Short mmCIF file of all heavy atoms in Angstrom, two decimals:
data_model
loop_
_atom_site.label_atom_id
_atom_site.label_comp_id
_atom_site.label_asym_id
_atom_site.label_seq_id
_atom_site.Cartn_x
_atom_site.Cartn_y
_atom_site.Cartn_z
N GLU A 13 0.22 -32.33 -0.98
CA GLU A 13 0.16 -30.92 -1.37
C GLU A 13 -0.04 -30.02 -0.15
O GLU A 13 0.57 -28.95 -0.05
CB GLU A 13 -0.95 -30.70 -2.39
CG GLU A 13 -0.67 -31.33 -3.73
CD GLU A 13 -1.87 -31.29 -4.65
OE1 GLU A 13 -2.83 -30.54 -4.38
OE2 GLU A 13 -1.85 -32.02 -5.65
N SER A 17 2.65 -27.25 1.21
CA SER A 17 2.34 -25.84 1.43
C SER A 17 2.73 -25.43 2.85
O SER A 17 3.24 -24.33 3.07
CB SER A 17 0.86 -25.55 1.16
OG SER A 17 0.02 -26.10 2.15
N LEU A 19 5.19 -26.77 4.57
CA LEU A 19 6.65 -26.69 4.55
C LEU A 19 7.12 -25.35 3.98
O LEU A 19 8.03 -24.72 4.51
CB LEU A 19 7.24 -27.84 3.73
CG LEU A 19 7.17 -29.23 4.35
CD1 LEU A 19 7.51 -30.29 3.32
CD2 LEU A 19 8.08 -29.34 5.55
N MET A 26 10.69 -19.16 9.16
CA MET A 26 12.00 -19.28 9.81
C MET A 26 13.00 -18.29 9.20
O MET A 26 13.85 -17.74 9.91
CB MET A 26 12.51 -20.71 9.72
CG MET A 26 11.76 -21.65 10.65
SD MET A 26 12.45 -23.31 10.77
CE MET A 26 11.90 -24.02 9.23
N ALA A 30 14.90 -15.45 11.34
CA ALA A 30 16.36 -15.36 11.28
C ALA A 30 16.80 -13.95 10.89
O ALA A 30 17.79 -13.43 11.42
CB ALA A 30 16.90 -16.38 10.29
N ARG A 31 16.04 -13.32 10.00
CA ARG A 31 16.36 -11.94 9.62
C ARG A 31 16.21 -11.01 10.82
O ARG A 31 17.05 -10.12 11.04
CB ARG A 31 15.44 -11.48 8.48
CG ARG A 31 15.81 -10.13 7.93
CD ARG A 31 14.92 -9.65 6.81
NE ARG A 31 14.23 -10.69 6.10
CZ ARG A 31 13.03 -10.53 5.54
NH1 ARG A 31 12.39 -9.38 5.64
NH2 ARG A 31 12.45 -11.51 4.88
N ALA A 34 19.17 -11.61 13.12
CA ALA A 34 20.42 -11.08 12.56
C ALA A 34 20.50 -9.57 12.65
O ALA A 34 21.58 -9.00 12.70
CB ALA A 34 20.55 -11.53 11.10
N ASN A 35 19.34 -8.91 12.70
CA ASN A 35 19.32 -7.45 12.70
C ASN A 35 18.92 -6.84 14.04
O ASN A 35 18.61 -5.65 14.10
CB ASN A 35 18.36 -6.94 11.62
CG ASN A 35 18.94 -7.12 10.25
OD1 ASN A 35 19.92 -6.49 9.89
ND2 ASN A 35 18.33 -8.00 9.47
N ASN A 37 20.60 -5.85 16.43
CA ASN A 37 21.48 -4.77 16.85
C ASN A 37 21.80 -3.81 15.71
O ASN A 37 22.79 -3.07 15.78
CB ASN A 37 22.77 -5.34 17.44
CG ASN A 37 22.52 -6.03 18.76
OD1 ASN A 37 21.77 -5.54 19.60
ND2 ASN A 37 23.12 -7.19 18.95
N PRO A 56 -5.08 -20.03 5.78
CA PRO A 56 -5.60 -20.98 4.78
C PRO A 56 -5.53 -20.40 3.38
O PRO A 56 -5.56 -19.19 3.19
CB PRO A 56 -7.05 -21.21 5.21
CG PRO A 56 -7.32 -20.29 6.32
CD PRO A 56 -6.07 -19.61 6.73
N ASP A 68 -20.91 -27.26 2.20
CA ASP A 68 -22.34 -27.42 1.88
C ASP A 68 -22.57 -27.98 0.49
O ASP A 68 -23.70 -28.21 0.09
CB ASP A 68 -23.06 -26.06 1.98
CG ASP A 68 -23.19 -25.58 3.41
OD1 ASP A 68 -23.08 -26.42 4.34
OD2 ASP A 68 -23.42 -24.37 3.61
N ARG A 80 -1.02 -20.64 2.87
CA ARG A 80 -0.19 -19.77 2.04
C ARG A 80 0.26 -18.57 2.85
O ARG A 80 -0.29 -18.28 3.91
CB ARG A 80 -0.93 -19.32 0.78
CG ARG A 80 -2.06 -18.36 1.05
CD ARG A 80 -2.73 -17.98 -0.27
NE ARG A 80 -3.90 -17.18 -0.04
CZ ARG A 80 -3.93 -15.85 -0.13
NH1 ARG A 80 -2.84 -15.19 -0.46
NH2 ARG A 80 -5.04 -15.19 0.09
N GLU A 93 15.96 2.50 23.40
CA GLU A 93 17.01 3.51 23.44
C GLU A 93 18.07 3.08 24.45
O GLU A 93 17.75 2.74 25.58
CB GLU A 93 16.42 4.87 23.87
CG GLU A 93 15.36 5.41 22.93
CD GLU A 93 15.95 6.06 21.70
OE1 GLU A 93 17.03 6.68 21.82
OE2 GLU A 93 15.35 5.95 20.63
N VAL A 94 19.32 3.07 24.01
CA VAL A 94 20.43 2.66 24.87
C VAL A 94 21.42 3.82 24.94
O VAL A 94 21.78 4.40 23.91
CB VAL A 94 21.11 1.39 24.32
CG1 VAL A 94 22.28 0.99 25.19
CG2 VAL A 94 20.10 0.26 24.21
N GLU A 96 24.70 5.16 24.83
CA GLU A 96 26.05 4.82 24.36
C GLU A 96 26.64 6.05 23.70
O GLU A 96 26.67 6.17 22.48
CB GLU A 96 25.99 3.67 23.35
CG GLU A 96 25.56 2.34 23.91
CD GLU A 96 25.58 1.24 22.84
OE1 GLU A 96 26.48 1.25 21.98
OE2 GLU A 96 24.69 0.39 22.89
N ASP A 105 22.18 13.50 22.58
CA ASP A 105 22.02 13.17 24.01
C ASP A 105 22.79 11.91 24.39
O ASP A 105 22.81 11.54 25.56
CB ASP A 105 20.53 12.95 24.34
CG ASP A 105 19.70 14.20 24.13
OD1 ASP A 105 20.27 15.31 24.18
OD2 ASP A 105 18.48 14.07 23.91
N ILE A 113 13.48 -5.92 19.63
CA ILE A 113 13.39 -7.35 19.31
C ILE A 113 13.80 -8.13 20.55
O ILE A 113 14.87 -7.90 21.10
CB ILE A 113 14.31 -7.72 18.13
CG1 ILE A 113 13.88 -6.98 16.86
CG2 ILE A 113 14.30 -9.23 17.89
CD1 ILE A 113 14.81 -7.17 15.69
N GLU A 130 8.86 -29.67 10.91
CA GLU A 130 9.16 -31.09 11.09
C GLU A 130 7.89 -31.94 11.01
O GLU A 130 7.89 -33.00 10.39
CB GLU A 130 9.86 -31.30 12.43
CG GLU A 130 10.28 -32.72 12.70
CD GLU A 130 10.95 -32.87 14.07
OE1 GLU A 130 11.34 -31.87 14.67
OE2 GLU A 130 11.06 -34.02 14.51
N ALA A 146 0.13 -48.01 -2.00
CA ALA A 146 -1.11 -48.21 -2.77
C ALA A 146 -0.80 -48.54 -4.22
O ALA A 146 -1.46 -49.39 -4.83
CB ALA A 146 -1.97 -46.95 -2.68
N ILE A 149 0.35 -52.20 -4.29
CA ILE A 149 -0.80 -53.12 -4.11
C ILE A 149 -1.61 -53.17 -5.40
O ILE A 149 -2.02 -54.25 -5.85
CB ILE A 149 -1.66 -52.69 -2.92
CG1 ILE A 149 -0.90 -52.91 -1.62
CG2 ILE A 149 -2.99 -53.45 -2.90
CD1 ILE A 149 -1.56 -52.29 -0.39
#
Side-chain angles (χ1 to χ4, degrees):
E13 291 171 15
S17 71
L19 288 168
M26 287 188 284
R31 187 180 337 148
N35 287 293
N37 291 317
D68 289 340
R80 69 180 173 99
E93 299 280 325
V94 178
E96 293 182 37
D105 297 336
I113 298 174
E130 183 181 345
I149 291 170

